[in-house]
Amino acid sequence: MTFAQRDLSPALAAVRETHAPTALVRDADRDFETLPSARAEELGLLVDALDPLSYPESWLPPDAPEVLVRYASDEFTVGAPGDGGVAWTRQTDPPVVLVKPRLEGSPDAFVDFLVAEALVQVGLDVPEHFLGFFEARYLDLADAARDHLDPVETYQLAAALYEASLGVHTRDVFAGWEADHPDLFDAWVDAGERLEPRLSGLPNDLATGGTEFGDAAELACAAIKHGIEPPTPFGALDAPAYREYGADYAVQWAETTFDRLG
């Protein structure tokens, strides 16, 4: 696997300088969800140091998906299912943003926004995966969802909830690009507008079983980062309290939501 230097537009170069000035932006020559350890270690040729993450096994329920068990281990992995077309890591020094070939053919403005979003996230003091966000409280989330979601669907929900948390931290940055980086701002707005028709029917789709809960969570939580109010029961995540209380708030929301579902 190779990682070629990606040419950045002036707007992207400015975003990197503001939020993650040391970050490397590279094009991966193959698609991936989780970069295999041997491939991830090839990033060592590009950076000064590697510092792989690992998490306590005690944070995981016994039925956790294998991909999550692998991520928690001391194996050096980058990326996870649900990351989309761009992944980033601070397990390297300097950090690395990887653009996947699946984005080929997508509008340039949209791809630039995804890269800019990753650079903003790299610059935040946040984990690069939901397990680092929930920590031991992932057990409580899994317990709250147990009667309604299987372990893979719980993984999907956790990823969506973390995406919402990132969204409440980043959307003000995106909104502030209107004057300085209008193309990135327009791409952010356009992506949000494309979500709105699907959001309007989401409560009914959930009630009738037309949409699975995890899929609905992904859609609604994506809306938050675009400054769009998500429908019930996800609207409570679009709150200053989520930004302040993080995983504790997410778990409380899940407990309340699933209690109401019966």
Side-chain angles (χ1 to χ4, degrees):
M1 189 174 228
T2 60
F3 305 100
Q5 182 170 331
R6 184 178 182 86
D7 293 331
L8 301 184
S9 67
L12 275 182
V15 169
R16 180 176 65 176
E17 182 62 29
T18 298
H19 296 277
T22 66
L24 306 179
V25 183
R26 294 289 187 268
D27 287 322
D29 68 340
R30 295 182 219 167
D31 256 323
F32 63 91
E33 292 289 349
T34 299
L35 204 60
S37 181
R39 298 294 181 232
E41 289 174 359
E42 292 176 11
L43 292 173
L45 301 174
L46 306 177
V47 300
D48 298 329
L50 301 177
D51 185 19
L53 290 169
S54 63
Y55 299 104
E57 187 177 329
S58 60
W59 289 1
L60 302 181
D63 58 358
E66 179 58 33
V67 66
L68 190 55
V69 174
R70 179 182 167 201
Y71 191 89
S73 74
D74 57 7
E75 181 181 344
F76 182 39
T77 56
V78 175
D83 282 350
V86 177
W88 58 266
T89 183
R90 284 200 306 264
Q91 298 176 82
T92 58
D93 182 17
V96 177
V97 174
L98 297 175
V99 183
K100 305 174 189 178
R102 73 180 65 173
L103 290 176
E104 291 176 5
S106 299
D108 290 344
F110 176 65
V111 177
D112 277 358
F113 167 70
L114 294 180
V115 175
E117 177 186 28
L119 289 166
V120 171
Q121 291 175 351
V122 167
L124 296 174
D125 185 21
V126 297
E128 62 188 68
H129 187 271
F130 71 72
L131 189 56
F133 172 70
F134 283 101
E135 297 184 341
R137 297 232 63 189
Y138 186 71
L139 292 168
D140 298 318
L141 179 71
D143 188 58
R146 191 167 309 281
D147 292 338
H148 301 272
L149 306 179
D150 66 30
V152 173
E153 291 168 331
T154 300
Y155 177 108
Q156 183 182 21
L157 173 62
L161 290 172
Y162 185 47
E163 188 70 13
S165 174
L166 290 173
V168 298
H169 283 84
T170 59
R171 63 186 177 189
D172 288 347
V173 175
F174 304 152
W177 287 341
E178 184 172 12
D180 295 335
H181 309 306
D183 289 344
L184 293 176
F185 174 83
D186 289 345
W188 172 66
V189 171
D190 180 67
E193 289 176 345
R194 291 173 185 272
L195 292 174
E196 289 188 279
R198 298 168 63 194
L199 290 168
S200 61
L202 200 58
N204 182 65
D205 288 345
L206 267 177
T208 59
T211 299
E212 298 295 333
F213 193 90
D215 294 334
E218 284 186 350
L219 182 61
C221 290
I224 291 174
K225 75 177 177 184
H226 291 283
I228 299 169
E229 183 177 354
T232 303
F234 304 99
L237 297 168
D238 188 7
Y242 195 14
R243 180 169 182 157
E244 182 174 356
Y245 296 109
D248 290 338
Y249 187 91
V251 171
Q252 184 180 45
W253 172 86
E255 291 171 343
T256 301
T257 298
F258 289 120
D259 280 348
R260 288 174 179 169
L261 291 176

